[in-house]
Amino acid sequence: MSKIERLRGFKDYYPEDMQKREEIFSIMRNAAKSFGFLPIDYPSLEMLEIYRIKSGDELVGQTYNFKDKSKREITLIPEATPSTMRMLVSRKDLVKPVKWYNIPKLWRYEEPQSGRNREHYQFNADYFGETGIEIDAELIALACETLNRMGLKGMYVVRVNHRKLMEKILSKLGCVNIQSSISTIDHFRKESIETIGNKLRDDGVVDDNLNRLLNFLSKSYPVSEIQNSIKDLGLDLLEDEDFLRMISTVEFLFKNGYEDIVYDPSTVRGLSYYTGIVFEGFDVDGKFRSIFGGGRYDNLSQLFEGQEIPAVGFGMGDAVLENLLKEKNLWKVDNGHSSYFLVGMGREGKNKAANLLYKLRRNGKTAVMENSERNISNSLKHASSMNFTHAIIIGEKELTERSLTIKNLINGEQKKIGENELDEL
Amino acid sequence: MSKIERLRGFKDYYPEDMQKREEIFSIMRNAAKSFGFLPIDYPSLEMLEIYRIKSGDELVGQTYNFKDKSKREITLIPEATPSTMRMLVSRKDLVKPVKWYNIPKLWRYEEPQSGRNREHYQFNADYFGETGIEIDAELIALACETLNRMGLKGMYVVRVNHRKLMEKILSKLGCVNIQSSISTIDHFRKESIETIGNKLRDDGVVDDNLNRLLNFLSKSYPVSEIQNSIKDLGLDLLEDEDFLRMISTVEFLFKNGYEDIVYDPSTVRGLSYYTGIVFEGFDVDGKFRSIFGGGRYDNLSQLFEGQEIPAVGFGMGDAVLENLLKEKNLWKVDNGHSSYFLVGMGREGKNKAANLLYKLRRNGKTAVMENSERNISNSLKHASSMNFTHAIIIGEKELTERSLTIKNLINGEQKKIGENELDEL
């Protein structure tokens, strides 16, 4: 038996879960489509080197990498951005803006834990070639719209910050090692306030400045309090272009119906390549890891090619989303459509059933027929247990009359229709 | 630059191709659904051993296998069946029949060639737990229905055979090494008639028998000629249960609207585990490799667990399908729906456009807005080139009137509507 076990840290999806997952992927695709994003796809294997370019050796240690038969170092892709970048820079003919989405499978070789398997799907959307606040807002709106369409409106909050604004705040408060402090703040919710304070002090933020910074970092600010939060820091940044850009983005989203947004100075996204707005979505109760995260990364294309291409994007994994939807009792398949279970009696009844079966299917309906030798009552029980909404019964009487008996398996109602009325189902 | 090259034998999919691919996957999912098949998913990595169980070392040599950090031999999955089997036998509570489909990515480490990359998607459908001819027919019908919905009706032919019938024919003609002859016949279209003849002779088929067999193998037979084809062999098989089963399956399909089917004795499917009907779909011109293939394999579950579970299934790769659709000029995105490109003039016009933009998107429409500083005429040209069907123009006049100018970008027609009529678009 052990020879055919599933690998540790991986999951099988049976229909009871996979139907919902298909629905979620479909919501993602349709939301992206309605925002004018177009689908792409790339290999699941890449040269290991492209992850070294972007993230250095730390990430590389967590990948499923190996040498292929030609001794090349290759890896199962651990994230989406490098492959997307590779595709972007290798086509000079693309008309900007370029708006792409995809839902690739990604792999990480790390200890399995809740909301994080060794393999997961991630919905990614990226917008290349334009820089306005409407563009930053569009990515956040797409993430929100996707969650809203899953029924999660009001159950999540987006924490927004601006990377350059944060760097300016740190600098004005005396920080001399910005990248180090950004990394420290990236762990704000995971480490004690003492640890965070000590690290920031080591980077040059001391005394009153340190206290004000820690106080500032410990809260999130709704749109109406953003200006005051900065004023309270005692810094003259209300006319700063990055501050204005950040607050305009949030206001733009508010105005257009996406209101579950706060300014959160401790949301910095650790990766070094972000250059502007950064954001992460969380469940309001704070029970789970982030649902999605992203930001602007205008310089990354230079690492791949040398030419700067403005870029903003996000990734939304399927694992946290599944946990959240289950917790909110939303992990149910939306079975709005009718499905038919055909029962024909005797050879002739079965032949007629088969014939109608294929007609229904060609009309796009979900239809199956009873192929086993159950009696009618057990057939109907089976059909109910398989969640079919209707049974269609063809016995001797129906054959003579050229009629069909249709039983609604949800409310038990039963009626007869003429055979030729089948197309109207 | 070489650091960020794509791996050899792999493909990127840009939107111009990926949109069509998404459409094809969606057709596959909907066809499966209308036949009552339910989706599953499994890891892309499995223990190498499960392929040894089914296929021996030949296949193993063609896989992307490697040792993980715990020194386990693992591999990127080269085919769907073993993972499906693993899922099936590890759940004792499943109510039969079990009808599953999925569209996994599969990997093979072999020389790239036309219609065969190192990575591809494959649509798989399997039906477990029942054995009637309606079941065999259902799988063939699902494959056909899927192709029909892509517009390929009349452009493909399904070659059907019955593995046990073939074994009986070989035996009656003097063959003493059935499995060897089946492998020989599996290469019937790839090797010369002399080579085939010599190999069959070595297995015991000689003289008149050999000539009759080669003649029999060299043709396909429409439903009306199946009986004669067997009679011409001089064998008494017209009442044989496997012969009757095969011909009933074909007749059943004919009766239910799937008529592009022939009996083809040289279609045997090389793999040793088939136990009944086998089938392959080809383009009628015979230009490409098989579009799909499958058959009944009632014994395979025993290799995984010990209990026999009747099974019939097929796989349909995406690569040959793409080549065929391109050749038939069917590789076009079905853009039946409207999409809107909003152009707002001035700050106020842009604000209004943004507002309408998000309304349209929430209504499920595809909508984007002009964010660059192009003039109106260039905006409309850009919108046309991006295949938007309509432009919505909001200038000063429209703002005053609370109206919108809608320009049909396909026929050039232009009209004004009230702002509140937007929901009716």
Side-chain angles (χ1 to χ4, degrees):
Chain A
M1 265 307 276
S2 77
K3 284 196 275 188
I4 59 162
E5 265 173 22
R6 192 175 60 239
L7 284 168
R8 187 160 161 264
F10 290 82
K11 267 181 87 169
D12 290 322
Y13 274 79
Y14 286 87
E16 54 264 33
D17 282 325
M18 192 60 195
Q19 286 178 90
K20 183 67 188 181
R21 203 147 81 151
E22 286 285 4
E23 185 189 310
I24 283 170
F25 293 160
S26 171
I27 289 171
M28 290 168 170
R29 281 190 287 262
N30 287 332
K33 196 172 160 189
S34 71
F35 277 59
F37 286 73
L38 298 175
I40 59 164
D41 195 30
Y42 35 72
S44 297
L45 291 169
E46 294 274 5
M47 305 286 273
L48 189 57
E49 194 58 29
I50 77 170
Y51 303 97
R52 288 217 180 89
I53 292 176
K54 175 169 162 276
S55 310
D57 278 328
E58 193 196 346
L59 174 67
V60 164
Q62 291 169 7
T63 61
Y64 270 97
N65 64 75
F66 59 101
K67 289 204 169 104
D68 71 7
K69 287 159 198 174
S70 311
K71 303 286 174 217
R72 283 172 302 214
E73 276 192 289
I74 62 178
T75 185
L76 281 164
I77 60 174
E79 52 168 334
T81 310
S83 301
T84 306
M85 272 293 158
R86 185 180 54 63
M87 282 183 67
L88 182 74
V89 302
S90 65
R91 275 276 295 269
K92 310 288 179 199
D93 62 320
L94 297 169
V95 178
K96 304 285 185 329
V98 167
K99 299 168 71 175
W100 284 347
Y101 78 90
N102 63 339
I103 314 178
K105 231 186 203 183
L106 304 175
W107 295 264
R108 293 223 180 182
Y109 198 86
E110 56 185 0
E111 275 309 297
Q113 47 185 301
S114 170
R116 212 153 160 112
N117 292 310
R118 285 181 167 169
E119 170 183 84
H120 74 291
Y121 287 92
Q122 192 178 70
F123 172 36
N124 295 281
D126 293 278
Y127 193 128
F128 299 106
E130 291 184 332
T131 56
I133 62 149
E134 296 86 354
I135 317 300
D136 291 353
E138 174 147 321
L139 271 286
I140 296 173
L142 174 55
C144 293
E145 181 67 24
T146 305
L147 298 183
N148 292 353
R149 291 186 186 188
M150 293 175 195
L152 288 169
K153 193 166 166 59
M155 300 177 195
Y156 65 89
V157 60
V158 186
R159 300 181 189 151
V160 175
N161 194 2
H162 192 292
R163 188 68 168 266
K164 284 205 180 126
L165 172 67
M166 205 58 212
E167 291 172 6
K168 283 176 193 163
I169 289 173
L170 288 170
S171 175
K172 279 178 189 280
L173 292 176
C175 176
V176 291
N177 192 343
I178 301 290
Q179 186 53 44
S180 158
S181 288
I182 291 284
S183 296
T184 300
I185 295 171
D186 193 37
H187 292 91
F188 193 81
R189 282 181 169 79
K190 289 168 207 151
E191 291 180 1
S192 75
I193 199 81
E194 287 75 27
T195 310
I196 300 288
N198 288 337
K199 287 184 180 174
L200 293 173
R201 188 181 292 112
D202 289 347
D203 288 338
V205 188
V206 294
D207 304 332
D208 260 18
N209 279 353
L210 182 58
N211 290 334
R212 271 188 296 165
L213 178 58
L214 290 173
N215 186 45
F216 173 64
L217 290 171
S218 67
K219 287 179 237 159
S220 293
Y221 307 91
V223 64
S224 58
E225 294 171 27
I226 297 179
Q227 291 208 331
N228 283 336
S229 75
I230 298 285
K231 269 190 213 149
D232 289 349
L233 262 184
L235 301 178
D236 179 23
L237 284 165
L238 294 188
E239 298 302 318
D240 176 81
E241 61 170 329
D242 293 321
F243 173 75
L244 290 173
R245 188 174 163 116
M246 202 244 340
I247 200 165
S248 303
T249 306
V250 176
E251 283 169 354
F252 180 92
L253 285 162
F254 250 72
K255 235 173 21 201
N256 288 298
Y258 300 96
E259 298 168 2
D260 302 310
I261 300 181
V262 294
Y263 168 50
D264 183 74
S266 75
T267 294
V268 290
R269 311 272 298 154
L271 294 167
S272 58
Y273 61 81
Y274 286 109
T275 57
I277 199 125
V278 286
F279 53 89
E280 291 187 5
F282 286 87
D283 62 299
V284 286
D285 304 324
K287 286 193 189 169
F288 302 103
R289 299 169 72 124
S290 70
I291 310 168
F292 64 86
R296 180 162 284 283
Y297 54 102
D298 291 342
N299 297 337
L300 190 61
S301 60
Q302 294 178 303
L303 292 180
F304 284 82
E305 193 215 24
Q307 193 196 336
E308 182 174 312
I309 303 174
V312 55
F314 72 79
M316 180 187 289
D318 66 339
V320 172
L321 205 49
E322 178 175 335
N323 289 341
L324 177 59
L325 288 166
K326 281 180 173 164
E327 202 229 14
K328 299 296 180 189
N329 205 18
L330 290 166
W331 192 258
K332 295 176 287 203
V333 179
D334 177 15
N335 246 334
H337 76 293
S338 300
S339 52
Y340 301 91
F341 190 89
L342 281 70
V343 188
M345 328 274 217
R347 193 64 252 161
E348 227 187 312
K350 279 195 195 306
N351 281 344
K352 173 61 78 181
N355 189 256
L356 301 177
L357 176 73
Y358 281 96
K359 264 197 198 135
L360 283 166
R361 289 169 171 178
R362 271 193 291 271
N363 289 349
K365 308 285 186 207
T366 293
V368 310
M369 69 177 274
E370 178 62 273
N371 287 306
S372 85
E373 299 301 322
R374 296 186 187 90
N375 65 32
I376 175 79
S377 146
N378 285 335
S379 285
L380 295 180
K381 270 185 211 151
H382 174 68
S384 277
S385 76
M386 300 297 284
N387 294 319
F388 284 88
T389 61
H390 295 81
I392 300 182
I393 301 156
I394 306 145
E396 261 180 62
K397 196 143 179 246
E398 284 85 357
L399 282 169
T400 322
E401 295 173 354
R402 303 186 67 82
S403 71
L404 307 169
T405 297
I406 300 194
K407 188 180 170 84
N408 182 318
L409 295 171
I410 295 158
N411 62 22
E413 275 172 26
Q414 194 164 310
K415 64 174 178 180
K416 262 193 190 170
I417 65 167
E419 226 185 271
N420 48 7
E421 293 172 69
L422 190 80
D423 282 343
E424 289 147 39
L425 282 185
Chain B
M1 264 307 276
S2 77
K3 284 196 277 189
I4 57 161
E5 266 174 22
R6 192 175 61 240
L7 285 169
R8 189 163 159 263
F10 290 82
K11 266 182 87 170
D12 290 321
Y13 274 79
Y14 286 87
E16 56 264 34
D17 282 325
M18 192 60 195
Q19 285 177 90
K20 185 66 189 180
R21 202 148 82 152
E22 286 285 4
E23 186 189 311
I24 283 170
F25 292 161
S26 170
I27 289 172
M28 290 168 170
R29 281 190 287 263
N30 287 332
K33 196 172 160 188
S34 70
F35 277 60
F37 286 74
L38 298 175
I40 59 164
D41 195 29
Y42 35 73
S44 297
L45 291 169
E46 294 273 6
M47 305 287 272
L48 188 57
E49 194 57 29
I50 77 170
Y51 303 96
R52 288 218 180 89
I53 292 176
K54 174 169 162 276
S55 310
D57 278 327
E58 193 196 347
L59 174 68
V60 164
Q62 291 169 7
T63 61
Y64 270 98
N65 65 74
F66 58 101
K67 289 204 169 103
D68 71 6
K69 287 160 197 174
S70 310
K71 304 286 174 216
R72 282 172 301 216
E73 276 191 290
I74 62 179
T75 185
L76 281 163
I77 59 174
E79 53 167 334
T81 310
S83 302
T84 306
M85 273 292 160
R86 185 180 55 62
M87 281 183 67
L88 182 75
V89 302
S90 64
R91 277 275 295 269
K92 310 287 179 200
D93 62 320
L94 298 168
V95 178
K96 305 284 185 327
V98 167
K99 299 168 71 174
W100 285 346
Y101 78 90
N102 63 339
I103 314 178
K105 232 185 203 184
L106 304 174
W107 295 264
R108 294 225 181 180
Y109 198 84
E110 56 185 359
E111 275 309 297
Q113 48 185 299
S114 172
R116 211 150 162 116
N117 293 311
R118 286 181 166 170
E119 171 182 84
H120 74 291
Y121 288 92
Q122 190 178 70
F123 172 36
N124 295 281
D126 294 278
Y127 194 128
F128 299 106
E130 291 183 332
T131 56
I133 62 149
E134 297 86 354
I135 317 300
D136 291 353
E138 174 147 319
L139 271 287
I140 296 173
L142 174 55
C144 293
E145 181 67 24
T146 305
L147 298 183
N148 291 353
R149 291 186 185 188
M150 293 175 196
L152 287 168
K153 192 165 167 59
M155 301 176 196
Y156 66 88
V157 61
V158 186
R159 299 181 189 150
V160 175
N161 194 1
H162 192 293
R163 188 67 168 267
K164 285 205 179 126
L165 173 66
M166 205 57 213
E167 291 172 7
K168 283 177 194 163
I169 288 173
L170 287 170
S171 174
K172 281 178 188 280
L173 292 175
C175 177
V176 291
N177 193 343
I178 300 290
Q179 186 53 44
S180 158
S181 288
I182 290 284
S183 296
T184 300
I185 294 171
D186 193 37
H187 292 90
F188 193 80
R189 281 180 171 79
K190 290 169 205 148
E191 291 179 1
S192 74
I193 198 82
E194 287 75 27
T195 310
I196 300 287
N198 288 337
K199 287 185 180 172
L200 293 173
R201 187 181 293 112
D202 289 348
D203 288 337
V205 188
V206 295
D207 305 332
D208 261 18
N209 280 353
L210 182 59
N211 290 335
R212 271 188 296 164
L213 178 59
L214 289 174
N215 186 44
F216 173 63
L217 289 171
S218 67
K219 286 180 237 159
S220 291
Y221 307 90
V223 63
S224 57
E225 294 172 26
I226 297 179
Q227 292 208 330
N228 282 336
S229 75
I230 298 284
K231 269 191 213 148
D232 289 350
L233 263 185
L235 301 179
D236 179 23
L237 283 164
L238 293 188
E239 298 302 317
D240 177 80
E241 61 170 330
D242 294 321
F243 173 76
L244 289 173
R245 187 173 165 117
M246 201 244 341
I247 200 165
S248 302
T249 306
V250 175
E251 281 169 357
F252 181 92
L253 285 162
F254 250 71
K255 235 175 16 202
N256 289 298
Y258 301 97
E259 297 168 2
D260 303 308
I261 300 181
V262 294
Y263 168 51
D264 183 74
S266 75
T267 294
V268 291
R269 312 269 301 154
L271 294 166
S272 56
Y273 61 82
Y274 287 108
T275 56
I277 198 126
V278 286
F279 53 89
E280 291 187 4
F282 286 87
D283 62 300
V284 284
D285 304 324
K287 286 193 190 170
F288 302 105
R289 300 168 71 124
S290 72
I291 310 168
F292 64 86
R296 179 162 284 283
Y297 55 102
D298 291 341
N299 296 337
L300 190 60
S301 60
Q302 294 177 304
L303 292 181
F304 285 82
E305 194 215 23
Q307 194 196 336
E308 182 174 312
I309 303 173
V312 56
F314 71 80
M316 180 187 288
D318 65 341
V320 171
L321 204 48
E322 178 175 336
N323 289 341
L324 177 59
L325 288 165
K326 281 180 173 165
E327 201 230 13
K328 298 297 180 189
N329 205 19
L330 290 167
W331 192 256
K332 293 176 289 201
V333 179
D334 177 14
N335 246 334
H337 76 294
S338 298
S339 52
Y340 300 91
F341 190 90
L342 280 71
V343 187
M345 327 274 218
R347 193 63 252 161
E348 227 187 312
K350 278 194 194 307
N351 281 344
K352 172 62 76 181
N355 189 256
L356 301 178
L357 176 73
Y358 282 96
K359 263 196 198 136
L360 283 166
R361 289 169 171 179
R362 271 192 291 272
N363 289 349
K365 307 286 186 208
T366 293
V368 310
M369 69 177 275
E370 177 62 273
N371 287 306
S372 87
E373 299 302 321
R374 295 185 188 91
N375 65 33
I376 175 80
S377 148
N378 284 336
S379 285
L380 296 180
K381 270 184 211 150
H382 173 68
S384 277
S385 77
M386 300 296 285
N387 293 319
F388 285 88
T389 61
H390 295 80
I392 300 182
I393 301 157
I394 307 144
E396 262 177 61
K397 196 143 178 243
E398 285 85 356
L399 282 169
T400 323
E401 295 173 355
R402 302 186 67 83
S403 71
L404 307 169
T405 296
I406 299 194
K407 189 180 168 81
N408 182 318
L409 295 170
I410 295 157
N411 62 22
E413 275 171 27
Q414 193 165 311
K415 64 174 178 179
K416 263 193 188 169
I417 65 167
E419 225 185 272
N420 48 7
E421 294 173 66
L422 191 80
D423 282 343
E424 290 148 37
L425 281 185

